[in-house]
Amino acid sequence: PHLDLAVYDCKNNMIAAWHRKKPDLVVITSDDLLNEKYYELIAKSDAATERKALDSMMLQQKLGHLPVYTVPYLPDRTFMITSFKNLSIYYQKGGQRRHMKEEPEFNRIVNYMSNNEAYVIEDYDKCAVFENLLLPDGNGGWA
């Protein structure tokens, strides 16, 4: 419940008022936060009816009433609220370079390749990032 509250509060206080009710908002999060939320629920569910409810809840993963997506390489304890339409990749025309070099002494050909690209958030008013999130651990401390 603490993680849901953090996402809900972040959406209502950090996203611009004219974007808060948009249906395309999602939560992009690191694996560890989602694992913490569901670990608690799995540990506490004993009855078969609780397990069935938990299974359906895990199929439609949500945080703060928003759909959740986990992505690789996002720093631990981090989430971002935005829409996928708000995220873009720009490629520079003519910005791709390639060079091949023959190295017969090692019996190989080396392929050097690079390209210029930029990852862009189109509208900062429609984006909020929360890093190093600490949640109450239930023992009076923070985890």
Side-chain angles (χ1 to χ4, degrees):
H2 298 293
L3 184 56
D4 287 304
L5 184 60
V7 169
Y8 186 78
D9 189 46
C10 184
K11 181 187 93 167
N12 288 324
N13 291 306
M14 296 176 74
I15 300 286
W18 52 90
H19 289 302
R20 288 181 194 150
K21 302 289 184 195
K22 299 235 172 133
D24 62 345
L25 288 176
V26 297
V27 180
I28 300 169
T29 184
S30 55
D31 283 338
D32 63 326
L33 288 178
L34 210 53
N35 290 344
E36 280 183 30
K37 175 185 176 175
Y38 288 110
Y39 183 79
E40 286 180 32
L41 295 172
I42 290 169
K44 291 179 183 175
S45 63
D46 293 331
T49 54
E50 289 177 356
R51 290 268 184 203
K52 191 163 183 100
L54 182 62
D55 287 345
S56 69
M57 198 167 77
M58 287 181 76
L59 283 175
Q60 40 180 315
Q61 293 180 343
K62 292 191 176 217
L63 286 175
H65 303 292
L66 296 174
V68 178
Y69 295 89
T70 56
V71 294
Y73 309 114
L74 193 68
D76 286 346
R77 313 196 83 61
T78 301
F79 69 81
M80 178 166 107
I81 301 172
T82 192
S83 68
F84 288 121
K85 290 180 182 177
N86 197 29
L87 303 174
S88 300
I89 301 175
Y90 288 96
Y91 298 97
Q92 181 181 3
K93 193 174 187 178
Q96 190 170 31
R97 296 177 302 277
R98 183 174 186 185
H99 175 73
M100 293 179 72
K101 180 180 173 186
E102 201 167 325
E103 293 182 348
E105 62 273 11
F106 298 111
N107 194 25
R108 67 181 179 195
I109 296 174
V110 181
N111 183 21
Y112 298 98
M113 206 170 175
S114 69
N115 58 0
N116 293 343
E117 58 187 28
Y119 300 93
V120 178
I121 297 171
E122 297 290 341
D123 184 356
Y124 284 108
D125 289 334
K126 195 177 181 182
C127 182
V129 177
F130 205 109
E131 297 177 300
N132 300 319
L133 179 66
L134 294 177
L135 298 169
D137 65 2
N139 300 322
W142 298 91

